[in-house]
């Protein structure tokens, strides 16, 4: 799986990259939203993680911009908001989750579990028996994201 981390804090991500790569992820990094959008246009990642310290409105716009390129991209963000605040502010975008600003390896593992199924878990990304046990991980978020983007355009 291809993961794009858009971050102004690559040093924060360095300790967790082996965890992501150990789950079979190919991780790319961009240092700005502009660089990240260019990489999204060149090759859409399966997951884009935004860690740029954006205000909620800016974050929402950034996610919509990503989904406008490809609505099948899963998204997550590093945010100081509580889970409830994040849910309220990002409602309808189908984002997988938020990570705390001072995230740990366990937080990243949790994110990986939300989006990634390994062969040894009975399936592959977007395919396999394990996907059917957790269809919301794959189906509902993208449906909501596409609907939200469509409604904001219309």
């Amino acid at each position: 799986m291809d993961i794009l981390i858009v971050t102004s804090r690559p040093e924060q991500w360095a300790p967790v990259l082996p965890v992501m790569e150990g789950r079979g992820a190919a991780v790319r990094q961009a240092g700005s939203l502009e660089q990240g959008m260019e990489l999204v246009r060149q090759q859409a990642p399966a997951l884009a993680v935004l860690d740029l310290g954006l205000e909620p409105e800016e974050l929402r716009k950034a996610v919509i911009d990503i989904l406008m390129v490809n609505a099948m991209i899963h998204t997550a963000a590093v945010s100081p908001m509580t889970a409830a605040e994040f849910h309220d502010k990002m409602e309808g975008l189908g984002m997988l989750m938020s990570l705390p600003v001072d995230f740990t390896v366990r937080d990243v593992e949790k994110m990986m579990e939300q989006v990634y199924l390994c062969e040894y878990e009975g399936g592959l990304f977007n395919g396999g028996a394990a996907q059917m046990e957790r269809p919301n991980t794959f189906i509902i978020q993208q449906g909501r994201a596409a609907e939200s983007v469509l409604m904001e355009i219309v």
Side-chain angles (χ1 to χ4, degrees):
M1 170 177 37
D2 183 25
I3 297 176
L4 173 61
I5 300 171
V6 184
T7 183
S8 55
R9 309 180 309 151
E11 68 285 349
Q12 181 77 16
W13 287 91
V16 299
L17 293 179
V19 171
M20 299 170 91
E21 292 165 347
R23 301 274 316 250
V27 181
R28 297 182 288 158
Q29 291 189 48
S32 70
L33 186 55
E34 295 77 22
Q35 291 173 344
M37 288 303 298
E38 184 58 34
L39 290 174
V40 165
R41 285 185 201 95
Q42 289 173 8
Q43 179 183 345
L47 171 65
V49 182
L50 301 177
D51 179 17
L52 295 169
L54 300 173
E55 293 296 320
E57 297 77 26
E58 294 173 308
L59 177 58
R60 185 173 179 81
K61 182 183 179 324
V63 171
I64 289 171
D65 289 347
I66 289 170
L67 295 175
M68 291 296 292
V69 174
N70 185 331
M72 295 306 292
I73 298 171
H74 291 286
T75 55
V78 173
S79 173
M81 292 184 273
T82 65
E85 290 171 322
F86 186 82
H87 176 74
D88 288 344
K89 298 283 186 181
M90 301 302 130
E91 182 69 37
L93 293 180
M95 295 184 73
L96 289 177
M97 64 183 297
S98 64
L99 294 167
V101 174
D102 294 321
F103 59 86
T104 65
V105 168
R106 181 62 197 131
D107 294 317
V108 171
E109 287 173 340
K110 182 178 173 186
M111 178 183 69
M112 296 294 288
E113 289 166 6
Q114 290 293 310
V115 73
Y116 193 66
L117 295 173
C118 296
E119 284 186 81
Y120 60 81
E121 293 173 326
L124 297 170
F125 181 76
N126 276 349
Q131 179 181 348
M132 298 314 296
E133 294 172 12
R134 298 186 336 200
N136 291 354
T137 301
F138 299 92
I139 299 167
I140 291 177
Q141 283 86 349
Q142 294 307 319
R144 287 183 184 155
E147 178 183 30
S148 176
V149 169
L150 178 64
M151 294 313 227
E152 288 192 24
I153 293 171
V154 173

